[in-house]
Amino acid sequence: GSELLAAERAQSAVGVDALAELLHSRESLDRQKELVALLQSEAVFDKSQSQSLGRVERLQRALAKGKRLHQLAVERRWSLEEYHAAAGLIGEPTPYALHASMFLVTLREQSNPEQRKLFLERAEKYEIIGCYAQTELGHGSNVRGLETTATWNPEDKTFTLHSPTLTASKWWIGSLGRTANHAVVMAQLFVAGKNYGPHPFVVQIRDLETHQPLENVYVGDIGPKFGYNTMDNGFLLFNNIKIPHISMLARFSRIDPKTNQYVRPALPTLVYGTMTWVRANIVLDAGSVLARGVTIATRYCAVRRQFQDRDADRNAGETQVLNYKMVQIRLLPLLASMYALHFTGRGTMKLYQENQSRMNAATQSNGQDSRSPGPEELRAGADLLADLHATSCGLKALASTTAGEGLEICRRACGGHGYSSYSGIGPWYSDYLPTLTWEGDNYMLTQQVARYLLKSARAVLAGKGTGNDTSQILQSYLARKDKGASFDILEEDSEVVAAFAWRTAYLTFEALKHRDVEKRSWNSLLVDFWRLSTAHSQYLVVKNFHEAVSSPELVASVDAATAAVLRKLFRLYALHTLEREAADFFASGAVTTRQLTLTRTKAVLGLLDEIRPHAVRLVDAWQIPDWVLDSSLGRADGNVYEDLFRRASQENPVNDLVFDPYPWNKEVLKAPLPSKLSKL
Amino acid sequence: GSELLAAERAQSAVGVDALAELLHSRESLDRQKELVALLQSEAVFDKSQSQSLGRVERLQRALAKGKRLHQLAVERRWSLEEYHAAAGLIGEPTPYALHASMFLVTLREQSNPEQRKLFLERAEKYEIIGCYAQTELGHGSNVRGLETTATWNPEDKTFTLHSPTLTASKWWIGSLGRTANHAVVMAQLFVAGKNYGPHPFVVQIRDLETHQPLENVYVGDIGPKFGYNTMDNGFLLFNNIKIPHISMLARFSRIDPKTNQYVRPALPTLVYGTMTWVRANIVLDAGSVLARGVTIATRYCAVRRQFQDRDADRNAGETQVLNYKMVQIRLLPLLASMYALHFTGRGTMKLYQENQSRMNAATQSNGQDSRSPGPEELRAGADLLADLHATSCGLKALASTTAGEGLEICRRACGGHGYSSYSGIGPWYSDYLPTLTWEGDNYMLTQQVARYLLKSARAVLAGKGTGNDTSQILQSYLARKDKGASFDILEEDSEVVAAFAWRTAYLTFEALKHRDVEKRSWNSLLVDFWRLSTAHSQYLVVKNFHEAVSSPELVASVDAATAAVLRKLFRLYALHTLEREAADFFASGAVTTRQLTLTRTKAVLGLLDEIRPHAVRLVDAWQIPDWVLDSSLGRADGNVYEDLFRRASQENPVNDLVFDPYPWNKEVLKAPLPSKLSKL
Ligand SMILES: Cc1cc2nc3c(=O)[nH]c(=O)nc-3n(C[C@H](O)[C@H](O)[C@H](O)COP(=O)(O)OP(=O)(O)OC[C@H]3O[C@@H](n4cnc5c(N)ncnc54)[C@H](O)[C@@H]3O)c2cc1C
Ligand SMILES: Cc1cc2nc3c(=O)[nH]c(=O)nc-3n(C[C@H](O)[C@H](O)[C@H](O)COP(=O)(O)OP(=O)(O)OC[C@H]3O[C@@H](n4cnc5c(N)ncnc54)[C@H](O)[C@@H]3O)c2cc1C
């Protein structure tokens, strides 16, 4: 294996180091190196038994990892960023994960000063350990349908928290099952008989000493899952428990305990902003998630040889399977996708941050100085945020679907060995899949995108376009529609981007016609909306990728050969997508059938040939350490078979069993079990 | 939940019982009922802990299940069919699975009488327990590349079995890791320095008493996998061990111990036949495999309510998610697919069996009576077998891909709860996935289909068509090609079938042109071949499904309303496939863009509306018992939430753990672990 990978690396001039730096920054690469060395040196972070153990054992070991990680963070005074980087490297979620993310984030964002002191400060020290309890057995997507109630008691200034039905049970709540002693609970707020909708409450659920559930709290772990088994997702029911006034997180809205009145939220758009930020992060991560599968499959397919090429001469020896076009057509577009998603995530995040700081500035100057241009800036900012919000919904759906499904494609590309846990792909895939469902189910998010695009189209038609990118593509479509379009997709990169924009605009106005003119029901249009959202998001990816590969930053940081290969990746992503979605492009008139045929038979195949020699270096540039990949197939040194063999014969506890194989003997074992498991 | 399912059942007149009988036969439904009652009554077959346990524990329990199953088979004198039916119901493979299938099958088919006595008879009694060891670490698909050698020693009439390299290690071999004491080993046969290719040898590998590996045999389990973890897939290396002459399975080819000469195989086509049979079985099974996921998702989506429909009036209450078009477009075509695959599997199997008995008859009469028409019959039979072989390759690939990917679509359609192991989909999906890789990797099989179609097309062009269905569709395409075609797909079912045939023929001649006229390399055409094979297989499914729904048998066995719904399922399968593959259909000229648009916007959506009311009854007809589904979401009574809750709170061993949640305490548990696991 190692000679083959060496030869791969020798045949390409892609500048791995510069490219790695462009992707991840020198600083974070250095940090990663240090962290991996540290974590790898501690026995508690050992990964070798994870896939062999049962949940009871895995969960305990995961908690031990979480504890040690926290200790290291304290000892070494890690920043939040360093802590999260380290947590990402250990390869599985720990039972602290939701405490360290959603619980702390919610407290930070939604506490008033008093609550920060009471809850946040102690939570940051892990004196209280929490979770974010929104979803219930009966309701997830439809948050307004939650059944848990929090009723304001004016007489003693408390709330009564109650789960009136079985389906009101909180469910799926990460870190809740066995770990948390507190929870942020979303409950319908009732004041004087009126329902004010779901609000967040901080509730203690277990005794801080004994860790036993408090009275009238029923809590536990929801059981085994397709993945994520090192996390104790939990359930939680309340039987009329009383909690004090301070429990309701009060930064945005609150009950005035004197008047018993509900005080409305001040800045709803801020929460909106957080959701956008979370989704932009999912997009950014999707590139790296996919990169893990593509790194493994690409290296393995360069090492794996099977069959002679049918047209090769007799002595040619067996072909690396990466040379087969049927393998390339599965892997290389994914290689392009991981770059595409990464740059798109970065682009979205940048837009978001620019806008946030502009809005913050505006808010502040607005407060201090009434002559400042605050309000208009705020309005423009809010417009952009609405655009960002919608685009991040669509991109979250597209990116996580691409990454999740892409991992399975990578696994299958590895043939039989892909099915071994030692491939490293399977466990990673199963743990990633919830991303397609949480933070907005990917199918449902597409409705939000469609709603926004319809709204934008109506505005544009009414001459009230905002001038943002979405308005612009709709406007230029309208301007050119009657003349028709023909984009020179095979020659000009920017024309490919324009063809994607055209298709989005076409589908938007089609959908608008169905809804506004033909008055079709919303439900009957859901499939069209899903297509529309997908089309729009693909446009955004193509646009962002194109901007990245033509940016001065890129040209300045990598050599010309590398930049040229990246531009090929862009073309592969764009043209392969275009070909798969041929029907849309054709129907919109963006391209001709002749162009489509050429794309498939010439352009895409040609790009596969051109990118093939650089495949290994292009995954090397992602710089995923072997310890993180945790894969026999994806090892940087190519010693695939040796490592599979070593793990099977040395790390596999099953090999300590001596079976009595005969069906008439009831005993299954010949000898008592001296398990590797019990050694640890 | 239960009222909702009751309402679903009330609103449809589909005759569940008659349909069930048509699908599975009364006899096998009755048998299933009895077997489930029996198995469910025995504690050893309990399923509740499977997904919580680690591999060491699961494997032992699976062996216990296998033992008990064998005991029952002996006690109750089960037929082979009954045994396999029972094994299929317990929900996971046992370590005997490869003994009971490939090991016994190979011995039956490839032994001479002496070997039957020595190996097969003892194997049937489980005195010897075996496996089928073909794949190696370095070679799977390319069987000719195997490295294990069996060298004939003329001096003492033995073979020396040897693994010359690490990659020669047998790998992935089911039942080998801990269970088997014998193996059928495929090894390159060397006689007097000449390699005669891979041949099967029966080899003892473990002591029959101590179950320890024999000297110079290195054997073990290959470790944890994405699924199939109740099976001990194993590795096996030989260090120059000697085995007697009788070890080489000698029905088809053998070494004459007197002359030391290799004797060539007599009837190679028979083996060919077995592979076809195995693949036809995979097609038939794929329908049932998928049916499990579709049953679960359909019932759950009828019980799950989330959001009000946007166009509904305020008091409508939440909608069953099965009403959302975006859910329907994912599930209902899969519902159609499971029927389509089932009928296709049946059709293929019937053709195969008819041909086998014809050939057997011909072989026999040929032997007994030289005036019989044996030879011509045999030739026709061999032609048909070649056709069946190719079509079964393509169908195996299409069917298992549809089922495997379909299960994941079903899982996602269930939202968050789909991710719980209690959904029953995840475990079933992970255990099924190897079917996409074994018995011919699905991507590679498509090359065999293409090769056959190219050969047929050349024959047809040369006026030498065999008159089988493949030749006919190629011929009618040629006859009509210049006039062009336009199929009335929206009105006539048979025209839809014809459009699929047309597309296959078009793609075949396109591929032929690339290969024979343009002399393109085989490799550069792999992607085209994959498309071609997929197209051809889709044609076969559409054709088989159409024949089934228009057959007199069907009309005789179900009432008219049910038959009408089945025809709608046919149309949905066909038109939905056509729409997804629009580019091909359009390029071939089989349909116009107008037709394609109407298919998408009218026909498919209309069919969703029409089939929706019957969805629950259409899955009920599959008659999968609750114990087999092992799913909270898919329960026939609809008590989804109660069952999720019961399992989480009563069957989940994790809830016995009391964590010490504070990172500064090194201990992870407060109290020692009184695990549910240790109780069993
Ligand atoms: C591993 C994991 C961890 C989680 N962690 C947490 C946590 O820590 N805290 C927390 O609060 N929650 C958590 N969740 C819950 C998660 O956020 C929800 O499962 C998710 O939001 C999906 O909601 P649902 O399950 O209600 O899906 P549903 O809405 O029930 O979806 C079911 C199906 O209906 C479809 N559907 C529903 N409504 C519509 C509509 N209007 N139009 C069209 N189609 C529709 C969906 O597309 C889907 O196919 C977690 C979930 C998982 C799997
Ligand atoms: C759970 C499980 C159980 C098994 N049980 C058994 C058993 O009991 N006994 C046994 O003998 N074996 C067993 N196998 C092995 C199985 O049969 C092989 O894994 C399977 O045949 C695939 O072969 P491979 O792994 O060599 O794939 P490879 O051939 O290495 O495939 C790797 C990749 O290369 C591609 N590729 C390879 N050649 C070509 C080509 N010529 N053209 C285009 N693309 C190509 C493939 O499509 C794939 O993407 C088992 C496997 C699994 C996963």
Side-chain angles (χ1 to χ4, degrees):
Chain A
S2 57
E3 333 77 57
L4 284 166
L5 284 192
E8 291 289 333
R9 288 171 181 133
Q11 78 182 356
S12 160
V14 164
V16 166
D17 288 338
L19 187 50
E21 220 168 293
L22 174 76
L23 291 168
H24 304 299
S25 88
R26 175 66 17 221
E27 187 200 347
S28 88
L29 289 169
D30 290 344
R31 184 177 63 208
Q32 171 174 290
K33 211 167 194 169
E34 269 170 47
L35 287 174
V36 167
L38 173 66
L39 297 174
Q40 205 170 353
S41 73
E42 305 229 353
V44 68
F45 298 116
D46 171 62
K47 302 178 177 192
S48 69
Q49 298 305 307
S50 305
Q51 301 304 315
S52 296
L53 296 170
R55 267 203 86 212
V56 168
E57 194 67 35
R58 288 192 74 186
L59 203 53
Q60 292 177 66
R61 291 192 182 201
L63 179 60
K65 293 181 197 191
K67 288 188 172 196
R68 184 64 190 136
L69 209 60
H70 179 78
Q71 288 163 2
L72 287 170
V74 173
E75 279 170 24
R76 300 184 178 232
R77 302 170 185 281
W78 282 345
S79 67
L80 260 187
E81 219 183 330
E82 283 167 313
Y83 171 80
H84 285 292
L89 296 170
I90 67 173
E92 56 186 37
T94 81
Y96 287 150
L98 272 282
H99 169 81
S101 56
M102 282 298 279
F103 186 64
L104 290 177
V105 167
T106 309
L107 292 181
R108 260 180 222 125
E109 291 193 348
Q110 309 207 22
S111 296
N112 65 22
E114 201 187 348
Q115 291 167 330
R116 293 180 79 91
K117 207 171 172 75
L118 185 62
F119 301 127
L120 181 60
E121 285 181 16
R122 286 160 69 212
E124 281 176 333
K125 286 187 271 183
Y126 283 60
E127 287 166 17
I128 67 180
I129 293 162
C131 59
Y132 182 80
Q134 177 171 303
T135 303
E136 297 173 355
L137 198 41
H139 288 88
S141 313
N142 182 13
V143 179
R144 286 205 218 151
L146 294 178
E147 296 178 86
T148 305
T149 56
T151 311
W152 174 245
N153 307 309
E155 59 287 2
D156 62 358
K157 312 296 170 192
T158 62
F159 299 95
T160 299
L161 214 55
H162 188 53
S163 317
T165 59
L166 176 71
T167 48
S169 174
K170 294 294 171 187
W171 205 268
W172 278 115
I173 312 309
S175 303
L176 167 66
R178 303 279 87 198
T179 312
N181 51 33
H182 279 67
V184 167
V185 173
M186 292 295 281
Q188 302 283 0
L189 172 64
F190 280 88
V191 184
K194 186 173 164 193
N195 182 357
Y196 289 88
H199 283 75
F201 298 83
V202 181
V203 191
Q204 183 176 343
I205 52 168
R206 286 188 172 97
D207 186 272
L208 300 189
E209 273 298 313
T210 66
H211 204 60
Q212 292 297 331
L214 299 186
E215 223 185 312
N216 290 316
V217 170
Y218 188 55
V219 58
D221 177 280
I222 62 164
K225 291 154 292 190
F226 191 62
Y228 237 71
N229 279 311
T230 51
M231 170 59 82
D232 55 325
N233 293 91
F235 62 80
L236 177 62
L237 284 159
F238 300 106
N239 181 21
N240 285 307
I241 71 161
K242 279 210 170 187
I243 54 174
H245 174 261
I246 196 168
S247 307
M248 181 171 148
L249 289 176
R251 178 143 168 243
F252 297 123
S253 57
R254 57 194 181 85
I255 303 286
D256 183 329
K258 298 210 188 88
T259 63
N260 298 313
Q261 294 294 309
Y262 176 73
V263 184
R264 301 228 150 259
L267 279 168
T269 44
L270 259 183
V271 181
Y272 209 51
T274 308
M275 279 157 60
T276 304
W277 182 84
V278 169
R279 295 197 181 116
N281 255 314
I282 291 179
V283 180
L284 191 57
D285 278 352
S288 299
V289 166
L290 183 55
R292 237 157 114 156
V294 175
T295 300
I296 292 169
T298 302
R299 286 184 183 154
Y300 175 65
C301 287
V303 169
R304 180 70 168 178
R305 290 193 284 199
Q306 202 79 185
F307 293 102
Q308 279 212 356
D309 188 290
R310 264 174 76 101
D311 297 319
D313 78 280
R314 287 229 143 222
N315 310 318
E318 288 188 295
T319 312
Q320 294 166 287
V321 300
L322 190 54
N323 289 338
Y324 292 119
K325 284 281 163 288
M326 197 59 224
V327 171
Q328 292 174 7
I329 196 76
R330 290 181 277 158
L331 289 185
L332 301 186
L334 290 176
L335 177 68
S337 297
M338 77 201 206
Y339 278 88
L341 294 177
H342 179 84
F343 288 121
T344 304
R346 259 177 34 177
T348 312
M349 193 59 95
K350 208 173 124 210
L351 269 187
Y352 170 78
Q353 276 156 350
E354 283 169 9
N355 193 51
Q356 283 301 99
S357 41
R358 228 191 310 157
M359 278 177 78
N360 284 342
T363 320
Q364 281 173 4
S365 62
N366 191 27
Q368 289 162 2
D369 176 358
S370 55
R371 285 165 308 165
S372 81
E376 301 85 61
E377 285 251 341
L378 266 182
R379 216 191 112 59
D383 274 349
L384 185 59
L385 194 57
D387 192 69
L388 266 173
H389 171 76
T391 55
S392 73
C393 285
L395 284 172
K396 182 268 176 183
L398 178 68
S400 58
T401 303
T402 305
E405 296 181 350
L407 289 175
E408 171 60 10
I409 294 174
C410 292
R411 193 191 63 70
R412 274 189 231 163
C414 298
H417 294 323
Y419 195 67
S420 167
S421 299
Y422 302 149
S423 77
I425 305 179
W428 184 238
Y429 169 68
S430 341
D431 281 356
Y432 184 70
L433 277 181
T435 314
L436 282 68
T437 303
W438 66 33
E439 298 302 336
D441 169 83
N442 282 359
Y443 296 97
M444 288 172 53
L445 284 174
T446 63
Q447 295 184 46
Q448 308 210 29
V449 183
R451 192 172 304 142
Y452 172 75
L453 290 173
L454 292 185
K455 216 176 114 189
S456 303
R458 288 187 197 108
V460 165
L461 286 176
K464 292 187 191 141
T466 58
N468 64 16
D469 184 68
T470 306
S471 293
Q472 280 174 28
I473 65 171
L474 296 173
Q475 271 152 352
S476 31
Y477 172 82
L478 287 180
R480 245 172 108 173
K481 191 173 71 141
D482 296 328
K483 280 182 273 173
S486 76
F487 299 100
D488 191 7
I489 55 164
L490 293 166
E491 295 300 325
E492 276 292 331
D493 288 357
S494 59
E495 292 278 288
V496 182
V497 182
F500 273 85
W502 183 269
R503 163 183 174 236
T504 296
Y506 166 80
L507 291 173
T508 303
F509 286 109
E510 284 290 298
L512 189 70
K513 187 176 71 191
H514 296 322
R515 181 69 178 163
D516 287 3
V517 181
E518 300 162 10
K519 305 282 181 209
R520 298 243 320 257
S521 73
W522 187 259
N523 191 17
S524 74
L525 291 171
L526 292 184
V527 183
D528 287 341
F529 291 162
W530 173 76
R531 282 156 53 98
L532 169 59
S533 171
T534 305
H536 178 57
S537 305
Q538 286 168 342
Y539 156 68
L540 290 170
V541 175
V542 166
K543 176 169 158 267
N544 275 282
F545 199 3
H546 182 247
E547 276 167 12
V549 297
S550 14
S551 75
E553 188 202 350
L554 184 125
V555 174
S557 36
V558 301
D559 58 79
T562 306
V565 173
L566 290 177
R567 275 194 295 275
K568 284 178 183 150
L569 283 180
F570 158 75
R571 292 183 65 73
L572 180 62
Y573 179 83
L575 294 180
H576 181 255
T577 304
L578 188 147
E579 186 224 314
R580 277 192 325 174
E581 311 276 0
D584 275 3
F585 281 93
F586 179 73
S588 73
V591 296
T592 62
T593 28
R594 173 106 192 102
Q595 285 176 313
L596 284 171
T597 308
L598 284 175
T599 300
R600 191 168 68 69
T601 55
K602 293 264 150 58
V604 170
L605 279 184
L607 286 163
L608 295 180
D609 284 336
E610 293 172 44
I611 292 167
R612 161 67 187 89
H614 309 290
V616 168
R617 278 186 174 249
L618 286 169
V619 300
D620 283 350
W622 223 270
Q623 300 271 34
I624 309 176
D626 277 348
W627 190 73
V628 171
L629 284 180
D630 193 23
S631 164
S632 297
L633 308 188
R635 290 169 65 92
D637 66 9
N639 289 330
V640 165
Y641 300 119
E642 294 80 354
D643 199 54
L644 277 174
F645 199 84
R646 180 186 61 77
R647 293 199 194 202
S649 54
Q650 291 171 27
E651 293 186 347
N652 176 8
V654 161
N655 284 324
D656 294 334
L657 300 173
V658 180
F659 274 5
D660 178 323
Y662 303 111
W664 49 86
N665 291 334
K666 214 178 166 224
E667 296 303 322
V668 289
L669 295 187
K670 282 269 185 204
L673 163 76
S675 168
K676 281 211 178 67
L677 302 186
S678 55
K679 285 183 208 148
L680 266 154
Chain B
S2 56
E3 333 76 59
L4 284 167
L5 285 192
E8 290 289 332
R9 288 171 181 134
Q11 78 182 354
S12 161
V14 164
V16 166
D17 288 336
L19 187 50
E21 221 168 294
L22 173 76
L23 290 169
H24 303 300
S25 85
R26 176 63 21 221
E27 187 202 345
S28 89
L29 288 169
D30 289 344
R31 184 177 61 210
Q32 172 173 290
K33 211 168 192 171
E34 268 171 48
L35 287 175
V36 167
L38 172 66
L39 298 174
Q40 205 170 354
S41 74
E42 306 229 353
V44 68
F45 298 116
D46 172 63
K47 303 179 177 192
S48 69
Q49 299 304 308
S50 305
Q51 302 303 315
S52 296
L53 296 170
R55 265 204 88 213
V56 167
E57 194 67 34
R58 287 191 75 189
L59 205 51
Q60 293 177 65
R61 292 190 181 205
L63 180 59
K65 292 180 196 191
K67 289 189 173 197
R68 184 64 190 135
L69 210 59
H70 179 78
Q71 288 163 3
L72 287 170
V74 173
E75 280 169 24
R76 302 187 176 230
R77 302 170 183 279
W78 281 345
S79 67
L80 260 186
E81 220 183 326
E82 284 168 314
Y83 172 80
H84 285 292
L89 295 170
I90 68 174
E92 56 187 36
T94 81
Y96 287 149
L98 272 283
H99 169 79
S101 58
M102 281 299 280
F103 186 63
L104 289 177
V105 167
T106 309
L107 291 182
R108 259 178 223 127
E109 292 193 347
Q110 310 208 22
S111 295
N112 63 23
E114 200 188 350
Q115 289 167 332
R116 291 179 81 91
K117 206 173 171 77
L118 185 63
F119 302 127
L120 181 59
E121 285 180 16
R122 287 160 69 211
E124 281 177 334
K125 286 187 272 184
Y126 283 61
E127 286 168 20
I128 67 182
I129 293 162
C131 59
Y132 182 80
Q134 175 171 306
T135 303
E136 297 173 355
L137 199 41
H139 289 87
S141 311
N142 183 12
V143 179
R144 286 204 218 152
L146 295 178
E147 296 178 87
T148 305
T149 56
T151 310
W152 174 246
N153 307 310
E155 57 287 2
D156 62 357
K157 312 295 172 192
T158 62
F159 299 95
T160 299
L161 213 56
H162 188 56
S163 317
T165 59
L166 176 71
T167 47
S169 175
K170 293 294 169 186
W171 204 266
W172 279 114
I173 313 307
S175 305
L176 168 67
R178 302 279 88 197
T179 311
N181 50 33
H182 279 67
V184 166
V185 173
M186 291 296 282
Q188 303 282 1
L189 171 65
F190 279 88
V191 184
K194 184 171 166 196
N195 183 357
Y196 288 88
H199 283 76
F201 298 82
V202 181
V203 191
Q204 183 177 342
I205 53 170
R206 286 189 172 97
D207 185 271
L208 300 189
E209 273 299 313
T210 65
H211 205 58
Q212 292 298 332
L214 299 187
E215 224 186 311
N216 289 316
V217 170
Y218 189 55
V219 57
D221 177 280
I222 63 164
K225 291 154 293 191
F226 190 63
Y228 237 71
N229 278 310
T230 52
M231 170 59 81
D232 54 325
N233 292 92
F235 62 80
L236 176 63
L237 284 160
F238 299 106
N239 181 19
N240 285 308
I241 71 161
K242 280 210 170 186
I243 54 175
H245 172 260
I246 195 165
S247 307
M248 180 171 150
L249 288 176
R251 177 141 170 242
F252 297 123
S253 56
R254 59 195 182 83
I255 302 286
D256 183 330
K258 299 209 187 87
T259 63
N260 297 313
Q261 293 294 309
Y262 176 73
V263 184
R264 301 228 150 258
L267 279 167
T269 43
L270 261 183
V271 181
Y272 209 51
T274 309
M275 280 157 59
T276 305
W277 183 82
V278 169
R279 292 194 184 120
N281 254 315
I282 292 179
V283 180
L284 191 58
D285 278 353
S288 299
V289 166
L290 183 55
R292 236 157 116 157
V294 176
T295 301
I296 293 169
T298 303
R299 286 185 183 153
Y300 175 65
C301 287
V303 169
R304 181 71 168 179
R305 289 192 284 198
Q306 203 78 184
F307 294 102
Q308 279 213 354
D309 188 290
R310 264 174 75 104
D311 297 318
D313 79 280
R314 286 230 143 223
N315 309 319
E318 287 187 294
T319 311
Q320 293 167 286
V321 300
L322 190 54
N323 290 338
Y324 291 118
K325 284 280 163 290
M326 197 60 223
V327 171
Q328 292 174 9
I329 196 76
R330 290 180 277 157
L331 289 185
L332 300 186
L334 290 176
L335 178 68
S337 298
M338 77 202 205
Y339 278 89
L341 295 177
H342 180 82
F343 288 122
T344 305
R346 261 181 27 181
T348 312
M349 194 59 95
K350 209 173 125 209
L351 268 188
Y352 170 78
Q353 276 157 351
E354 283 169 8
N355 193 50
Q356 281 301 96
S357 41
R358 229 190 310 154
M359 278 178 79
N360 284 342
T363 319
Q364 282 173 3
S365 62
N366 192 27
Q368 290 163 0
D369 175 358
S370 55
R371 285 164 307 167
S372 82
E376 301 82 63
E377 286 251 340
L378 267 181
R379 218 191 111 60
D383 274 350
L384 185 60
L385 193 58
D387 192 70
L388 267 172
H389 171 77
T391 54
S392 73
C393 285
L395 283 172
K396 183 268 176 182
L398 178 68
S400 58
T401 303
T402 305
E405 295 181 350
L407 288 175
E408 170 61 11
I409 294 174
C410 292
R411 194 192 63 70
R412 273 188 232 164
C414 298
H417 294 323
Y419 194 68
S420 167
S421 299
Y422 302 150
S423 78
I425 306 181
W428 184 239
Y429 169 68
S430 342
D431 281 355
Y432 184 70
L433 276 181
T435 314
L436 283 69
T437 303
W438 68 34
E439 298 301 337
D441 170 85
N442 282 358
Y443 295 98
M444 289 172 50
L445 283 174
T446 62
Q447 295 184 45
Q448 307 210 28
V449 183
R451 192 173 305 143
Y452 172 75
L453 291 173
L454 292 185
K455 217 176 114 191
S456 303
R458 289 188 197 109
V460 164
L461 286 177
K464 292 186 192 143
T466 57
N468 65 16
D469 184 69
T470 307
S471 291
Q472 282 174 27
I473 65 172
L474 297 173
Q475 271 153 351
S476 34
Y477 173 81
L478 287 181
R480 245 171 108 174
K481 194 174 70 144
D482 296 328
K483 281 181 274 175
S486 75
F487 298 101
D488 191 8
I489 55 165
L490 294 166
E491 295 301 324
E492 276 293 330
D493 289 356
S494 58
E495 292 279 287
V496 183
V497 181
F500 274 84
W502 182 270
R503 164 182 172 236
T504 297
Y506 165 80
L507 290 173
T508 303
F509 287 110
E510 284 291 296
L512 190 71
K513 187 176 72 193
H514 296 322
R515 180 68 178 165
D516 288 2
V517 181
E518 299 163 12
K519 305 281 179 207
R520 298 243 321 255
S521 73
W522 188 259
N523 191 15
S524 74
L525 291 171
L526 292 184
V527 183
D528 287 341
F529 290 162
W530 173 77
R531 281 157 53 98
L532 170 58
S533 171
T534 305
H536 178 57
S537 306
Q538 286 169 343
Y539 156 67
L540 290 171
V541 175
V542 166
K543 177 170 157 266
N544 275 283
F545 200 2
H546 182 247
E547 278 167 11
V549 297
S550 13
S551 74
E553 188 203 351
L554 184 125
V555 174
S557 37
V558 301
D559 59 78
T562 306
V565 173
L566 290 177
R567 277 193 293 276
K568 283 179 184 149
L569 283 180
F570 159 75
R571 291 184 65 74
L572 180 61
Y573 179 83
L575 294 179
H576 182 256
T577 304
L578 189 146
E579 185 224 314
R580 277 193 323 176
E581 311 277 0
D584 274 4
F585 281 93
F586 179 72
S588 73
V591 297
T592 63
T593 28
R594 173 105 191 103
Q595 286 176 312
L596 285 170
T597 308
L598 283 175
T599 301
R600 189 168 69 69
T601 55
K602 292 264 150 58
V604 170
L605 278 184
L607 286 163
L608 295 180
D609 283 337
E610 294 172 44
I611 292 168
R612 159 72 186 86
H614 309 290
V616 168
R617 279 186 173 249
L618 286 169
V619 300
D620 283 351
W622 224 268
Q623 300 270 37
I624 309 175
D626 276 349
W627 189 72
V628 171
L629 283 180
D630 194 24
S631 164
S632 297
L633 307 188
R635 291 169 66 92
D637 67 9
N639 289 331
V640 165
Y641 300 120
E642 294 79 355
D643 198 55
L644 278 173
F645 199 82
R646 182 187 59 78
R647 294 199 195 202
S649 54
Q650 291 172 26
E651 294 186 346
N652 176 7
V654 161
N655 284 325
D656 295 333
L657 300 173
V658 180
F659 275 3
D660 178 325
Y662 302 110
W664 48 89
N665 292 335
K666 216 182 163 220
E667 295 304 321
V668 289
L669 296 187
K670 281 271 184 201
L673 162 76
S675 168
K676 281 209 180 68
L677 302 188
S678 54
K679 283 182 210 150
L680 263 154

